[in-house]
């Protein structure tokens, strides 16, 4: 891991892409790629916490992923539910806190309940915060913010960037410093649209199930060498 502590990102966000291709290369069903992806996520949480990362957010299911086959959607939801139920105690032992970003109203009720229970159980933990983005879309997040602003009866003249920031899903979470995308794709795909405007981007050809400490270190090292001007000079 890089030594320059000052240059360590506080919040690392990951677009976990390539599970399907990983499975296809092995002649396996796509869902086995997602299952291996969940294991990779578990190890990545440990590696990120060990590296000193305070917030790790991962894109697990996007608002666009509803277009996938019902077998894949149901399977993925089941993998998430089982995984969280089985691993939340271990996360708590590491002082990790689990949070969710996204819409909840379209999820299977048992998954939504599992999310709520996991959030409640780990609410007071002060170690790494793991944010699972599920039924998350950056545009949807902005639409949801605007709806709440209207519901609150805010006057147009009081609508500012800071106000909108306060209406995003997790306003207390710092903006992502670094967004990593695996599998060779180089797009944001509707991830962290509002909060990710100044994020550094890092792309790797590694498929998500093969992601490991070495790739994480390489991303952190690349980040540590970049200068972040955020529009300044
Ligand atoms: C993208 O690969 C991956 C997903 C849409 C799912 C990511 C979900 C996990 C890794 C499981 C998360 C588990 C928990 C416990 C939250 P893809 O299917 O688009 O792969 P492809 O582009 O190769 O087809």
């Amino acid at each position: 891991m890089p030594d320059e502590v000052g240059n360590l990102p506080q919040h690392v966000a990951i677009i976990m892409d390539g599970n399907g291709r990983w499975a296809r290369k092995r002649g396996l069903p796509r869902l086995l790629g997602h299952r291996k992806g969940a294991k990779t996520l578990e190890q990545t949480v440990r590696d990120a916490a060990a590296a000193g990362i305070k917030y790790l957010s991962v894109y697990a299911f996007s608002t666009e992923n509803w277009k996938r086959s019902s077998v894949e959607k149901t399977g993925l939801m089941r993998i998430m539910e089982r995984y969280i139920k089985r691993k939340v105690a271990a996360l708590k032992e590491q002082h990790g806190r689990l949070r969710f970003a996204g819409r909840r109203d379209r999820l299977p009720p048992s998954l939504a309940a599992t999310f709520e229970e996991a959030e409640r159980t780990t609410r007071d933990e002060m170690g790494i915060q793991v944010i699972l983005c599920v039924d998350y879309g950056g545009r949807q997040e902005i639409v949801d913010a605007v709806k709440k602003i209207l519901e609150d009866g805010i006057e147009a003249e009081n609508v500012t960037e800071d106000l909108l920031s306060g209406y995003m899903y997790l306003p207390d979470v710092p903006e992502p410093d670094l967004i990593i995308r695996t599998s060779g794709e180089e797009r944001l795909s509707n991830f962290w649209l509002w909060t990710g405007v100044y994020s550094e981007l890092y792309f790797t050809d590694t498929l998500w199930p093969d992601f490991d400490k070495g790739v994480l270190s390489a991303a952190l090292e690349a980040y540590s060498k970049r200068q972040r001007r955020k529009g300044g000079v």
Side-chain angles (χ1 to χ4, degrees):
M1 297 294 162
D3 303 325
E4 302 93 326
V5 174
N7 277 333
L8 191 69
Q10 259 203 101
H11 178 176
V12 174
I14 308 182
I15 303 175
M16 308 182 289
D17 200 4
N19 294 348
R21 275 162 284 167
W22 182 91
R24 193 172 62 225
K25 269 177 38 185
R26 288 162 178 76
L28 299 170
R30 293 178 59 82
L31 280 174
L32 285 191
H34 295 317
R35 203 181 291 170
K36 175 68 166 66
K39 283 202 184 117
T40 300
L41 175 57
E42 182 187 358
Q43 185 57 45
T44 302
V45 170
R46 290 179 203 276
D47 294 339
I53 305 299
K54 300 280 183 258
Y55 300 85
L56 178 72
S57 61
V58 293
Y59 209 2
F61 194 90
S62 74
T63 48
E64 288 73 31
N65 287 151
W66 292 110
K67 292 184 212 140
R68 296 196 175 195
S69 76
S70 49
V71 171
E72 181 165 356
K73 285 183 289 189
T74 312
L76 200 42
M77 301 284 167
R78 278 210 193 115
I79 289 169
M80 286 196 265
E81 185 171 333
R82 277 203 221 130
Y83 221 83
I84 292 163
K85 279 185 176 150
R86 263 195 272 144
K87 301 295 176 181
V88 74
L91 182 68
K92 196 173 159 71
E93 258 169 49
Q94 301 172 59
H95 305 292
R97 177 174 174 192
L98 199 57
R99 304 177 76 181
F100 297 87
R103 281 180 65 164
R104 310 226 175 172
D105 55 312
R106 302 190 289 194
L107 299 177
S110 63
L111 180 62
T114 302
F115 285 173
E116 272 162 36
E117 173 68 19
E119 281 179 318
R120 206 169 29 243
T121 314
T122 62
R123 192 175 44 201
D124 298 324
E125 299 302 332
M126 301 296 280
I128 189 167
Q129 291 199 19
V130 180
I131 297 147
L132 298 185
C133 301
V134 180
D135 199 4
Y136 174 87
R139 288 184 173 176
Q140 183 69 55
E141 181 178 25
I142 294 168
V143 168
D144 286 346
V146 171
K147 283 186 181 165
K148 281 184 262 165
I149 288 169
L150 293 174
E151 279 164 17
D152 286 352
I154 311 264
E155 300 287 340
E157 60 184 317
N158 293 324
V159 176
T160 60
E161 291 187 12
D162 279 348
L163 180 102
L164 252 95
S165 294
Y167 276 89
M168 295 298 144
Y169 291 139
L170 300 172
D172 62 300
V173 171
E175 297 185 351
D177 303 293
L178 171 65
I179 298 180
I180 300 171
R181 182 167 190 156
T182 59
S183 90
E185 308 292 341
E186 302 191 351
R187 294 184 293 281
L188 278 182
S189 299
N190 206 8
F191 193 37
W192 291 141
L193 280 199
W194 182 268
T195 55
V197 281
Y198 290 116
S199 304
E200 294 292 330
L201 307 177
Y202 183 86
F203 302 108
T204 169
D205 287 337
T206 304
L207 303 175
W208 174 250
D210 292 326
F211 189 88
D212 63 10
K213 196 157 72 174
V215 188
L216 178 64
S217 289
L220 296 180
E221 175 140 13
Y223 175 88
S224 76
K225 292 188 179 134
R226 294 190 196 172
Q227 285 191 340
R228 304 187 69 204
R229 290 191 295 273
K230 297 186 170 184
V233 287

